Amino acid sequence: MIVLGIETSCDETGVALYDTRRGLLAHALYSQVKLHAEYGGVVPELASRDHVRRLLPLVRGILAESGLGVGDLDGVAYTAGPGLVGALLVGAGVARALAWALQVPAIGVHHMEGHLLAPLLEDTGSEPPLEPPFVALLVSGGHTQLVAVDAIGDYRLLGETLDDAAGEAFDKTAKLMGLPYPGGPVLAKLAGEGRAGAFRFSRPMTDRPGLDFSFSGLKTQVLLAWQKSDQTDQTRADIARAFEEAVVDTLVIKCERALQQSGHRRLIVAGGVGANRRLRSELVERGARIGARVYFPRPEFCTDNGAMIAFAGALRLQAGLSEPDEVRVQPRWDMATLEAI
């Protein structure tokens, strides 16, 4: 089964072709970072319009790259939520129109299920094979969650952020110190130039039981430290490192706790912050220490992309699931409501 995947939940237009026999055939991504940079954040209306401009040329491009035509498609998968409603409707409209014209099934994919399954996308050689049950850390600009995965589609929320997501905290902290948009990746890079121990921030909610997170207080600590400092480039790097260490330590502590409480010995990490080098290194080290194995998608599949949607959609379509011929999206969507396969 060859499935076209379409991702338009926010400010990145992603498309991909996934074959259930041969794996990922082609994928392409267009980022709107430059478009939104002058506003310091995503402007929903501009995002929607740019998806309209970019989506069909990207689809034509991956079909040409793989040597296929639209008639070779056996199904279409698209992000139906959560996300920006206008952006979601662009992808859903194109996907539904294609599926209707080709008389093939289409299915709306939960954006976070796409992220959660991304580490399985290219997992062909691990022993034992990566499959449920496991614990998943979903960590991005919009979400920070720990989820017990008992089967694909059978998800139990173990803990989540009570305020800012980790990626959101990275972006907002970068903005506090005058770093350019998008600030999170810039701050993470700058942290590599910081001096160990120059600053130290708290590890929020690690001194109490439970698996919930809170990162808003870290922003306040950074703001106070920055305002009281000499505000040199080195100080900015030192604060960036201390902030990154605090976020990473918090995530690692909670992941270890989730593994111990669930009894699972496998952890997958997905979402944009999952590309952070310090987080990857610390989780692998901690996992080895407690006898757990940690899996990541390749960095380009940590951020929003069409490949994860094509893969997640292919699993559901292959299981015989599809939906009525209607353009329907869910800007807010609880992953616990998904049907297990």
Side-chain angles (χ1 to χ4, degrees), residues 236-249:
R236 184 184 278 110
D238 293 341
I239 292 176
R241 173 165 181 162
F243 171 81
E244 183 184 64
E245 288 176 341
V247 173
V248 168
D249 284 353

Side-chain angles (χ1 to χ4, degrees), residues 129-162:
L130 176 54
E131 58 187 14
F134 50 73
V135 171
L137 171 66
L138 304 178
V139 56
S140 65
H143 299 81
T144 300
Q145 299 176 332
L146 279 165
V147 179
V149 180
D150 298 315
I152 294 175
D154 186 0
Y155 309 126
R156 290 181 292 115
L157 182 65
L158 301 176
E160 62 183 339
T161 183
L162 304 180

Side-chain angles (χ1 to χ4, degrees), residues 264-339:
H264 297 326
R265 280 291 161 269
R266 287 180 291 188
L267 171 73
I268 70 167
V269 183
V273 182
N276 183 278
R277 292 181 179 179
R278 189 183 302 275
L279 177 62
R280 287 182 172 232
S281 174
E282 293 291 330
L283 280 174
V284 169
E285 182 179 333
R286 185 68 64 94
R289 204 179 303 164
I290 64 172
R293 189 164 179 179
V294 186
Y295 302 81
F296 307 90
R298 56 167 132 151
E300 66 186 296
F301 291 155
C302 287
T303 56
D304 294 350
N305 63 87
M308 67 183 191
I309 302 303
F311 177 65
L315 292 180
R316 291 189 168 275
L317 289 170
Q318 198 172 31
L321 301 178
S322 62
E323 297 171 341
D325 293 335
E326 61 181 9
V327 179
R328 184 173 62 89
V329 298
Q330 299 186 63
R332 295 187 178 184
W333 189 2
D334 184 356
M335 198 163 63
T337 64
L338 294 176
E339 183 176 352

